[in-house]
Amino acid sequence: MPISKKQSWHIEPPWGLLNDPNGLVWYKGNYYAFFQWNRFAKDHSSKAWGFATSPDLVHWQFRGSALLPDQLYDAQGVYSGSALEIDGRLCLYYTGNAKQQGRRISHQCLAISTDGRHFRKEGPLFAAPAGYTGHFRDPKVLAVLQGGYQMVVGAQRDNGLGAVVLYTSPDGFRWSYGGVVGTSREYQMIECPELFRLEDAPVLLYCPQHRDNAADTSLDSFSVGRVLDQGPDASRPLDLDTGWQRLDEGFDFYAPQTFRTPDGRRILFAWMSRLEGEAETAFGAGEPRIHCLTMPRELFRRGQRLCQRPVRELRELPGTPVPGETTESGRLYRPFRRAFRFTATELAAERNLDLTLHEGEWSFHYDAAAHTVTVERRCWTGPGQDTRTVPLSALSSLELWCDQSSAELFLNGGEQVFSARIWPASSQASLLIAGLPPESPVQLTLLPDDLYRYLPKEEETQ
């Protein structure tokens, strides 16, 4: 009998397809995580906003729908956007996608809530300006220190190449075009941009995308970030093809979005998928749902490098330690469920290290001589392995966070991160470590099993 892929502590819908995180915000005593949701099928044929709430970034409840594609200006999709509290109101900014005679028309739109449960659409704020195509989307709004608000929008110019565009507003409701933040010569679209300050430096996140403009289809895309020397300057647009780092080196990470907690931390979620075509169809077969968000992560800087670590609230969770046993192959752990956290510190940079999860569903190898890290997972659409290899000068610590069908690995306190969905095939959860220095402190801890739940259907927001 197939093993369920249903996650136990990651945000995912009870049915249908989830993709981009949209509005992440703290509002009236709760964290909100909105996300793209197809309520009807495990494909991308319909786009609404679903959401979940949490008092503590740990215990989440799925709440149902927030925004549906029920107006002429968003009839072909309530696309991605962001959320912000303004004067006690929860403001949701999103892209309304419509098509007329095969032509894509996009508007940046606003919806407002005063209770976090019921959302009133205010309609379009503005359409794509002259010089841009209908690929003009994903508004991310930020309150600025000097007063007022900024919005960055992902765009495609009339020349078929990508850009990030800036808008400004005195109140969050009246918006003016502020110029171009950056342009690309290589990528046909820039998706999911975000501009914010992190430890007193401006940071830009975005997703470069190759497209077949003639067929209007995506070819490939990924998520990057960069620390800027100064804020946006329309007189000197950034070169978006250079100066960035990948935010996650794993298989499944896209469309990251951040927000500030009341205590000032910058928290990131992303869509934990880059599955396409055959792989996505196979992964969702026999399941009522597909895809989830990553675990919440604290984003921080080490110089010009953007780093991530699991949020403090998860790291401080009490859990049940699981003892390991010494075998000929290494140290072996056999937890009785797949939701756990493993940590290892004071690792020896001169020694190779290997981790094997659930008898080969996922594995990690650090090559001390080559200074490389390789992460593999068992391919589920054919024989062999999916593989990622990246340079790493030394390995000093690692954290591995597992759920029923995912693994998220943090190296050297968040210097490198690898996210992956995995196909549960082994009936016995296990973790085997080879090459571990005898003096290295290690611990495997089971995570509580009540961190995420669905409300009864009659209590969901429709």
Side-chain angles (χ1 to χ4, degrees):
M1 174 182 255
I3 301 172
S4 171
K5 302 181 188 74
K6 180 184 179 299
Q7 300 278 63
S8 63
W9 57 278
H10 285 78
I11 294 173
E12 64 181 2
W15 61 84
L17 177 141
L18 171 150
N19 58 293
D20 304 5
N22 288 322
L24 307 175
V25 69
W26 170 262
Y27 181 67
K28 292 189 175 180
N30 276 292
Y31 293 101
Y32 283 72
F34 297 89
F35 48 81
Q36 293 270 271
W37 183 31
N38 183 353
R39 303 178 299 152
F40 306 110
K42 294 175 291 184
D43 59 29
H44 298 269
S45 58
S46 175
K47 297 292 181 184
W49 277 28
F51 71 115
T53 62
S54 170
D56 56 10
L57 287 174
V58 173
H59 299 87
W60 290 90
Q61 289 186 342
F62 175 79
R63 295 288 181 179
S65 300
L67 301 175
L68 302 177
D70 54 10
Q71 303 296 318
L72 289 176
Y73 54 81
D74 61 18
Q76 276 68 55
V78 176
Y79 277 17
S80 293
S82 56
L84 197 67
E85 181 181 357
I86 299 178
D87 297 329
R89 294 174 289 183
L90 180 55
C91 296
L92 307 185
Y93 298 90
Y94 70 95
T95 299
N97 185 55
K99 289 189 177 180
Q100 295 180 4
Q101 299 178 336
R103 177 170 168 261
R104 185 188 300 270
I105 300 173
S106 63
H107 290 87
Q108 309 318 306
C109 306
L110 173 65
I112 292 177
S113 175
T114 57
D115 62 3
R117 294 293 180 271
H118 304 90
F119 304 89
R120 185 185 73 251
K121 290 183 179 179
E122 299 293 319
L125 297 169
F126 54 87
Y132 295 89
T133 74
H135 288 292
F136 195 85
R137 56 178 177 267
D138 309 335
K140 184 64 169 71
V141 178
L142 173 73
V144 296
L145 294 176
Q146 300 84 352
Y149 302 88
Q150 290 181 341
M151 175 193 293
V152 284
V153 184
Q156 182 186 74
R157 294 171 287 164
D158 279 346
N159 64 3
L161 296 173
V164 174
V165 175
L166 178 71
Y167 279 76
T168 61
S169 171
D171 55 13
F173 304 98
R174 296 168 293 153
W175 293 91
S176 301
Y177 179 72
V180 179
V181 173
T183 60
S184 174
R185 299 179 307 278
E186 178 178 350
Y187 300 96
Q188 289 73 43
M189 176 65 191
I190 302 295
E191 292 192 311
C192 307
E194 180 171 4
L195 184 66
F196 54 88
R197 296 194 72 84
L198 184 64
E199 301 164 23
D200 295 325
V203 171
L204 180 67
L205 309 184
Y206 56 100
C207 297
Q209 183 185 76
H210 285 123
R211 295 187 67 83
D212 181 336
N213 285 336
D216 196 23
T217 58
S218 172
L219 301 176
D220 65 75
S221 51
F222 53 98
S223 303
V224 304
R226 56 195 289 185
V227 180
L228 307 178
D229 294 329
Q230 61 182 35
D233 183 351
S235 67
R236 293 187 299 168
L238 294 168
D239 178 359
L240 299 179
D241 300 336
T242 62
W244 45 257
Q245 68 172 82
R246 286 184 181 261
L247 291 171
D248 191 296
E249 296 286 359
F251 305 103
D252 295 305
F253 181 97
Y254 195 65
Q257 188 173 119
T258 78
F259 72 105
R260 274 176 70 94
T261 60
D263 62 7
R265 290 171 294 158
R266 178 65 55 176
I267 305 300
L268 176 148
F269 282 88
W271 177 29
M272 193 151 52
S273 174
R274 286 312 290 142
L275 305 182
E276 296 186 8
E278 184 182 3
E280 184 172 79
T281 300
F283 199 78
E287 301 280 345
R289 71 192 66 79
I290 188 168
H291 302 320
C292 66
L293 298 184
T294 64
M295 67 188 303
R297 306 168 180 182
E298 296 176 12
L299 187 67
F300 64 101
R301 288 175 47 211
R302 288 180 182 160
Q304 294 297 102
R305 184 161 189 85
L306 298 172
C307 302
Q308 302 165 61
R309 60 188 166 222
V311 291
R312 180 181 65 231
E313 291 84 347
L314 281 169
R315 286 183 278 127
E316 293 176 351
L317 267 181
T320 305
V322 176
E325 58 181 289
T326 301
T327 71
E328 291 183 358
S329 301
R331 189 148 186 85
L332 178 64
Y333 294 85
R334 293 191 180 276
F336 62 84
R337 64 174 180 267
R338 298 166 69 97
F340 61 83
R341 172 197 183 196
F342 173 77
T343 60
T345 58
E346 299 179 22
L347 298 173
E350 71 278 3
R351 295 180 61 148
N352 292 350
L353 186 69
D354 292 272
L355 274 64
T356 304
L357 188 62
H358 311 318
E359 300 180 354
E361 294 175 10
W362 176 97
S363 65
F364 161 87
H365 174 65
Y366 170 62
D367 187 321
H371 301 291
T372 59
V373 164
T374 298
V375 172
E376 295 186 330
R377 70 174 172 198
R378 189 175 293 149
C379 179
W380 56 78
T381 57
Q385 304 282 327
D386 298 326
T387 302
R388 294 281 189 277
T389 299
V390 299
L392 187 72
S393 59
L395 179 63
S396 59
S397 68
L398 63 82
E399 285 186 73
L400 177 63
W401 291 74
C402 295
D403 205 340
Q404 180 70 11
S405 57
S406 67
E408 292 166 88
L409 178 67
F410 300 81
L411 303 182
N412 296 345
E415 176 186 338
Q416 293 277 21
V417 188
F418 298 79
S419 300
R421 298 305 301 271
I422 57 178
W423 186 290
S426 174
S427 59
Q428 170 64 63
S430 64
L431 179 65
L432 176 66
I433 304 100
L436 191 69
E439 67 279 5
S440 295
V442 297
Q443 185 174 50
L444 189 147
T445 307
L446 289 176
L447 297 175
D449 59 4
D450 61 347
L451 302 184
Y452 186 71
R453 73 183 186 96
Y454 302 125
L455 288 176
K457 188 169 177 57
E458 61 270 16
E459 294 184 37
E460 292 178 5
T461 301
Q462 300 299 314

